[in-house]
Amino acid sequence: MEGFNSQLQEHLSTLEQLGLLRSLRVVEETDGTRITIGGHKLINFSSNDYLGLASHPAIAAAMGEGAQRWGSGSTASRLISGTTAEHAALEEELALAKGTEAALVFSTGVAAATGTIPALVGKGDVIIMDKLAHACLIDGARASEATLRVYPHNDLEKLESHLKWAREKHPTSTGARVMILTESVFSMDGDLAPLHEIVELKERYGAILFLDEAHAVGVRGTGAQGLAGELGLGGQIEIQMGTLGKALGVSGGYIAGSRVLIDFLINRARSFVFSTAPSPAVAAAGRASLRIVQSPEGEALRVRLQENLSLFASEMKIAASPSAIVPLILGSEERVLHETARLQNSGFFIPAIRYPTVPRNTARLRITLSSAHPQEQILRLAVALKDSGLRV
Ligand SMILES: *Cc1c(COP(=O)(O)O)cnc(C)c1O
């Protein structure tokens, strides 16, 4: 016991020396854009609640009513007795929103990815993924035991050369699968994948596409379409993944696709089969959020977010981000920790994103904007960044 704990302590000390130690900060209060940490009120530019829905009264009320009706827990795995009418309705509504035949809800986006990828590919198959893909796509790929090839971020030439290699080694006639993994909006850079081109390459080489829309849903396209829907590509993408935890302001993950894909995952995705279903109250809240995102109110929130992004871009004299994420890449861990602390002293909460979340030497401040930020908060942020000599 003693030796074990001192080993762990040694590891943490090394992380601290490298500027890579992380710790939890307790939020004592929040109203959406302002949070209180350690008694200090800070303007929050760290959350993925892009439309301010995490504090929407109607969604919170739906969660409360869901709990009144169904109780607090789902009591079992979805396959045993954990599928309530609330889960079933959420899945129908998600499929409608995505324009797919069916959808399947998981407890988190991470569970959706780590359960789905190894269910669909394995030994003898190939996964080709973007270098900057989220950790859950990497974990799913590793767990699958498929041969893994990585292409530099958004590098279509390298993607194509991997596809060519994969199809020479594993011709379509062998039944081997080649799966491309990418995000549509990249979580730490805020840029977009060249989706038209990726879909075209996928078709040409008989591959399948797993698209992670975690940061696109509610921000790109209308309703909960995401980038695939915005570009009219939804029907050509085999596996569309997303989360209810970001712009939708609740929690949970999902896969949308064909009926047979969903039936297959119900049988084969281990994070689905062996996990207690999300609380029915959470499913009820997810439904309420989905309704709002697809309503004129949701459209107005998206317009408001766009206005905030434009305002911030014009104040900082940069091009507006195609997503709600604006990275400020500073390089070293030391520098980013210094700036994050300085900004915190000026009343702003902006996270220092470091290795291993991003590659080494690309430590950054990750600024996220929301429709809920009053313009005055955005102007104040721009002034604080400029005063610190920080440029995007
Ligand atoms: C947050 C995130 C996930 C995981 O979703 P959760 O619902 O938070 O588990 C997956 N992919 C990307 C790109 C993400 O940013």
Side-chain angles (χ1 to χ4, degrees):
M1 178 88 159
E2 196 91 326
F4 173 62
N5 284 336
S6 65
Q7 268 181 347
L8 300 187
Q9 190 51 58
E10 213 170 287
H11 186 93
L12 291 178
S13 304
T14 308
L15 285 181
E16 183 160 26
Q17 280 160 21
L18 295 171
L20 294 174
L21 186 69
R22 301 171 181 209
S23 57
L24 299 172
R25 274 151 304 188
V26 177
V27 174
E28 291 136 14
E29 232 182 300
T30 176
D31 73 351
T33 62
R34 276 168 306 183
I35 53 178
T36 308
I37 293 178
H40 299 288
K41 272 202 189 330
L42 303 166
I43 303 175
N44 186 10
F45 285 102
S46 74
S47 103
N48 302 314
D49 180 24
Y50 304 127
L51 301 176
L53 295 180
S55 49
H56 195 293
I59 300 174
M63 191 179 272
E65 285 156 23
Q68 291 296 333
R69 173 160 180 212
W70 299 100
S72 52
S74 62
T75 78
S77 143
R78 291 284 305 279
L79 281 165
I80 305 298
S81 53
T83 299
T84 65
E86 210 77 69
H87 294 95
L90 172 59
E91 286 170 347
E92 263 179 45
E93 289 157 13
L94 269 170
L96 269 175
K98 305 295 287 183
T100 56
E101 286 174 8
L104 190 65
V105 168
F106 292 71
S107 53
T108 64
V110 167
T114 55
T116 298
I117 297 165
L120 297 173
V121 286
K123 275 203 177 83
D125 298 322
V126 179
I127 287 178
I128 306 176
M129 68 191 297
D130 190 286
K131 176 94 168 58
L132 298 187
H134 190 264
C136 67
L137 303 186
I138 300 172
D139 291 349
R142 285 190 183 144
S144 76
E145 298 183 57
T147 304
L148 196 54
R149 289 286 180 273
V150 176
Y151 58 95
H153 180 48
N154 282 345
D155 185 335
L156 292 166
E157 257 174 56
K158 197 67 191 168
L159 166 60
E160 178 161 17
S161 79
H162 284 323
L163 283 164
K164 217 176 260 173
W165 170 85
R167 274 310 175 209
E168 272 162 22
K169 199 147 190 286
H170 306 274
T172 317
S173 58
T174 62
R177 291 191 187 133
V178 177
M179 180 188 268
I180 301 171
L181 300 181
T182 185
E183 296 174 33
S184 57
V185 166
F186 282 84
S187 62
M188 296 299 140
D189 292 76
D191 59 343
L192 308 184
L195 206 51
H196 273 298
E197 290 82 354
I198 291 174
V199 167
E200 198 269 316
L201 284 171
K202 164 195 85 86
E203 298 283 336
R204 186 151 15 118
Y205 289 91
I208 55 180
L209 177 57
F210 180 110
L211 184 68
D212 180 345
E213 295 250 50
H215 296 276
V217 166
V219 176
R220 302 295 316 197
T222 58
Q225 275 187 322
L227 188 64
E230 177 185 347
L231 301 179
L233 294 170
Q236 286 166 270
I237 297 171
E238 287 79 4
I239 306 125
Q240 299 186 56
M241 180 220 137
T243 174
L244 300 164
K246 287 169 180 158
L248 288 161
V250 186
S251 80
Y254 62 85
I255 299 285
S258 66
R259 182 71 249 169
V260 65
L261 168 73
I262 298 309
D263 288 342
F264 184 86
L265 294 177
I266 289 171
N267 284 274
R268 280 287 175 267
R270 295 172 65 84
S271 62
F272 178 85
V273 175
F274 297 107
S275 181
T276 302
S279 162
V282 169
R287 295 180 66 197
S289 177
L290 205 50
R291 263 196 303 280
I292 290 169
V293 162
Q294 295 179 279
S295 71
E297 179 184 355
E299 201 50 54
L301 292 172
R302 242 184 322 279
V303 168
R304 178 80 213 187
L305 171 63
Q306 288 309 325
E307 287 168 0
N308 281 349
L309 285 161
S310 303
L311 175 66
F312 183 64
S314 78
E315 288 298 308
M316 298 300 291
K317 302 197 169 32
I318 53 167
S321 173
S323 70
I325 303 159
V326 185
L328 222 151
I329 298 174
L330 300 178
S332 76
E333 275 72 36
E334 206 183 352
R335 172 121 196 264
V336 84
L337 287 175
H338 175 73
E339 296 300 347
T340 217
R342 258 174 43 149
L343 285 161
Q344 191 155 332
N345 285 334
S346 322
F348 300 94
F349 189 72
I350 302 173
I353 307 288
R354 292 161 282 163
Y355 177 83
T357 306
V358 292
R360 289 189 195 278
N361 305 316
T362 68
R364 66 197 66 185
L365 297 172
R366 176 181 182 265
I367 299 164
T368 49
L369 300 187
S370 158
S371 60
H373 287 118
Q375 301 214 322
E376 165 264 330
Q377 290 181 343
I378 310 248
L379 295 173
R380 278 172 62 190
L381 172 66
V383 168
L385 291 172
K386 284 188 278 193
D387 284 353
S388 307
L390 294 172
R391 296 234 180 306
V392 176

